[in-house]
C-alpha cells in the first residue's frame, strides 16, 4: 500500500499554501488555536473553527515537518453494537483487513446515529487509514476534519441517501421487499402486513416501497392499517404483531423488515396461541444465522452483510491508495431463503 503525504487541506495545496503562523495571522488568532482546529480538538468556538477551516480549504496548509504515514488501522463505527448484524459486518471487514495487514478499531454510537464529540479527537489521534460508518453518519464538521487529514470515509448501509460522490455500500433493499411480499402473494395471502424499520432509515423506506410495489402489481390495495412502524428491535415486532392480530380483519401474513422484528412476531404468536405458519405466515429480512434454528426456521430475505463488509473495506483501502472507485454507490443483491415460517393461505 502507498501512503499519501499528509496534507490538511481539501484541495491539493498550492505552492502558496499557508504555514501555521500565516494562518494564525490571517485569522487573527493564536497559532495554538490553529493547531487545535487542525488536530480536531473541540475547545474552539464554532465561528472561529468555521473561519479557520474555510481558510485551510481555500489556501491549503503547509506542514513544516516530514510527512507522516497513516497508521495501518481501519476505523469501524456502528450505530449500535447489538445482535448479529454487527458481527456479520465485522467478519467481512476483518477478512479484508487481515489480508492487507491492517488492524480494525471498533466503536459504536450507543444508539445514536452520529458519533459523539470526543470520537473525532480519538480518531484523529490514531491517524487511521480510513473510516467505515455502519448504519450511521458523520456531522459536517467531522467529515471536514477527516477530509482535511485525507482520511477517506465509506458508508455501509447508510441511514440516509449519501451526498454526491460519497462512497457507500448497501443491499438491494427495494427488490428484497418486493420479493418478500411477492412470495406471500404467491402463497395466496392478500391480508399482508408489514412492520417497518425506523421511518428515517433509507433501508427501511426501500423495503416498504418494495412491499407496496408488489401489492400494487398484484392488484391488492395497500391497507394503511396493515402498515405498522417499527425500529428494527424485537420489542417492536412483539408489540406491532399483537396490535395487528387484534384488528377485526387481521393479517394472514406479516413481512417484518428485519429478522429481529420477525422474532418479536414469533413471541407474539406464542402469547396469542397462534401457530406459525398454520395461523400466521412470517417472513423476515437479513438471514441472521440464529434464525435457521428458530421453531419453525424463519423464511427471510438474505442481506449479504459479510460481503458488504468486505466490499466496504476493499473500497476504503483503494481510496487510501488514491484509487477512486468505478462507482461510488454499490448495492449487493438480496435473496429469498424459504424455510418453515411461510405456508399457503388456509381459509379461516
Amino acid at each position: 500500500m502507498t501512503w499519501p503525504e499528509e496534507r490538511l487541506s481539501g484541495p491539493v495545496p498550492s505552492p502558496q499554501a499557508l504555514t501555521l503562523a500565516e494562518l494564525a495571522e490571517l485569522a487573527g488568532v493564536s497559532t495554538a488555536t490553529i493547531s487545535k482546529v487542525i488536530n480536531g480538538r473541540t475547545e474552539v468556538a464554532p465561528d472561529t473553527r468555521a473561519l479557520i477551516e474555510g481558510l485551510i480549504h481555500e489556501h491549503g496548509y503547509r506542514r513544516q515537518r516530514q510527512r507522516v504515514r497513516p497508521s495501518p488501522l481501519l476505523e469501524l463505527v456502528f450505530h449500535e453494537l447489538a445482535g448479529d448484524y454487527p458481527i456479520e459486518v465485522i467478519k467481512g471487514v476483518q477478512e479484508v483487513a487481515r489480508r492487507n495487514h491492517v488492524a480494525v478499531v471498533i466503536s459504536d454510537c450507543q444508539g445514536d446515529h452520529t458519533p459523539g464529540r470526543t470520537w473525532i479527537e480519538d480518531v484523529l489521534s490514531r491517524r487511521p487509514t480510513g473510516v467505515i460508518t455502519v448504519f450511521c453518519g458523520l456531522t459536517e464538521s467531522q467529515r471536514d476534519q477527516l477530509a482535511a487529514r485525507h482520511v477517506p470515509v465509506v458508508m455501509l448501509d447508510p441511514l440516509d441517501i449519501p451526498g454526491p460522490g460519497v462512497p457507500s455500500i448497501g443491499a438491494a433493499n427495494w427488490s428484497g421487499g418486493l420479493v418478500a411480499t411477492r412470495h406471500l402473494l404467491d402463497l395466496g395471502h392478500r391480508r399482508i402486513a408489514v412492520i417497518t424499520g425506523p421511518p428515517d432509515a433509507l433501508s427501511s423506506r426501500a423495503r416498504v416501497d418494495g412491499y407496496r410495489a408488489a401489492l400494487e402489481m398484484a392488484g391488492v390495495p395497500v391497507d394503511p392499517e396493515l402498515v405498522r412502524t417499527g425500529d428494527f428491535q424485537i420489542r417492536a415486532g412483539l408489540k406491532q404483531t399483537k396490535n395487528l392480530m387484534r384488528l377485526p380483519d387481521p393479517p394472514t401474513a406479516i413481512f417484518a423488515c428485519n429478522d429481529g422484528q420477525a422474532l418479536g412476531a414469533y413471541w407474539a404468536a406464542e402469547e396469542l396461541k397462534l401457530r406459525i405458519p398454520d395461523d400466521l405466515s412470517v417472513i423476515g429480512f437479513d438471514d441472521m444465522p440464529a434464525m435457521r434454528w428458530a421453531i419453525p426456521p424463519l423464511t427471510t430475505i438474505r442481506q449479504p452483510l459479510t460481503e458488504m463488509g468486505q466490499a466496504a473495506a476493499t473500497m476504503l483501502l483503494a481510496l487510501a491508495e488514491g484509487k477512486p472507485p468505478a462507482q461510488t454507490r454499490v448495492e449487493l443483491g438480496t435473496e429469498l431463503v424459504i424455510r418453515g415460517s411461510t405456508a399457503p393461505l388456509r381459509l379461516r
Side-chain angles (χ1 to χ4, degrees):
M1 179 181 299
T2 59
W3 304 98
E5 181 176 348
E6 180 175 324
R7 293 187 295 263
L8 296 188
S9 62
V12 176
S14 68
Q16 290 76 38
L18 303 180
T19 65
L20 194 76
E22 290 168 336
L23 281 168
E25 182 178 358
L26 195 58
V29 299
S30 67
T31 55
T33 300
I34 300 292
S35 180
K36 287 178 181 178
V37 172
I38 289 171
N39 289 292
R41 303 283 294 277
T42 57
E43 59 270 25
V44 178
D47 291 345
T48 302
R49 177 183 297 279
L51 171 63
I52 294 168
E53 289 177 348
L55 291 172
I56 293 173
H57 182 80
E58 180 180 356
H59 298 285
Y61 170 61
R62 185 170 75 250
R63 278 188 180 274
Q64 295 180 318
R65 66 179 187 183
Q66 293 181 343
R67 69 182 186 180
V68 178
R69 290 185 174 186
S71 301
L73 299 172
L74 297 186
E75 294 277 344
L76 184 57
V77 56
F78 288 89
H79 154 63
E80 186 176 31
L81 284 171
D84 291 336
Y85 173 100
I87 293 173
E88 297 303 307
V89 172
I90 291 168
K91 285 180 184 177
V93 173
Q94 285 189 324
E95 182 177 326
V96 173
R98 193 179 302 114
R99 290 201 306 265
N100 288 274
H101 309 290
V102 177
V104 179
V105 177
I106 299 170
S107 58
D108 76 325
C109 302
Q110 299 181 340
D112 292 331
H113 286 293
T114 53
R117 189 175 61 179
T118 60
W119 175 83
I120 191 68
E121 294 182 24
D122 294 338
V123 171
L124 292 178
S125 69
R126 286 191 286 268
R127 295 181 288 103
T129 300
V131 174
I132 299 173
T133 65
V134 185
F135 200 57
C136 61
L138 305 177
T139 67
E140 184 176 356
S141 176
Q142 289 167 344
R143 291 195 302 270
D144 287 346
Q145 290 177 75
L146 291 172
R149 287 292 189 101
H150 288 269
V151 178
V153 177
V154 172
M155 303 180 75
L156 192 156
D157 194 7
L159 185 67
D160 204 346
I161 298 174
V166 177
S168 66
I169 305 291
N173 291 294
W174 183 88
S175 63
L178 178 84
V179 169
T181 310
R182 184 173 287 169
H183 170 64
L184 297 172
L185 288 164
D186 289 344
L187 292 172
H189 296 277
R190 293 299 180 266
R191 293 286 292 168
I192 302 172
V194 62
I195 303 175
T196 78
D200 58 347
L202 177 63
S203 58
S204 172
R205 297 198 304 269
R207 292 170 197 178
V208 175
D209 286 346
Y211 157 85
R212 292 178 183 276
L215 292 179
E216 290 169 2
M217 282 187 240
V220 178
V222 177
D223 185 345
E225 282 197 316
L226 298 183
V227 179
R228 299 297 172 116
T229 301
D231 58 7
F232 287 156
Q233 302 296 323
I234 294 172
R235 61 179 176 269
L238 173 64
K239 174 185 175 182
Q240 295 295 12
T241 299
K242 285 182 176 180
N243 291 337
L244 285 164
M245 301 314 294
R246 293 189 185 109
L247 291 172
D249 187 9
T252 62
I254 291 177
F255 167 35
C257 280
N258 79 330
D259 286 355
Q261 293 180 149
L263 181 58
Y266 273 48
W267 289 2
E270 176 71 19
E271 290 186 21
L272 297 170
K273 309 301 183 186
L274 298 173
R275 295 168 300 171
I276 296 175
D278 295 341
D279 302 317
L280 179 68
S281 284
V282 177
I283 186 168
F285 199 112
D286 282 332
D287 192 26
M288 294 304 179
M291 299 313 295
R292 68 193 65 179
W293 303 108
I295 302 175
L298 179 68
T299 296
T300 189
I301 299 296
R302 180 177 182 268
Q303 179 176 206
L305 292 170
T306 300
E307 292 89 336
M308 288 162 65
Q310 293 170 342
T314 300
M315 181 182 287
L316 189 68
L317 292 175
L319 287 167
E321 293 181 345
K323 301 173 184 176
Q327 56 188 97
T328 56
R329 174 62 178 174
V330 175
E331 286 193 354
L332 302 187
T334 51
E335 179 185 359
L336 174 65
V337 180
I338 301 175
R339 298 194 182 104
S341 66
T342 53
L345 173 67
R346 294 178 60 182
L347 297 177
R348 293 171 175 170

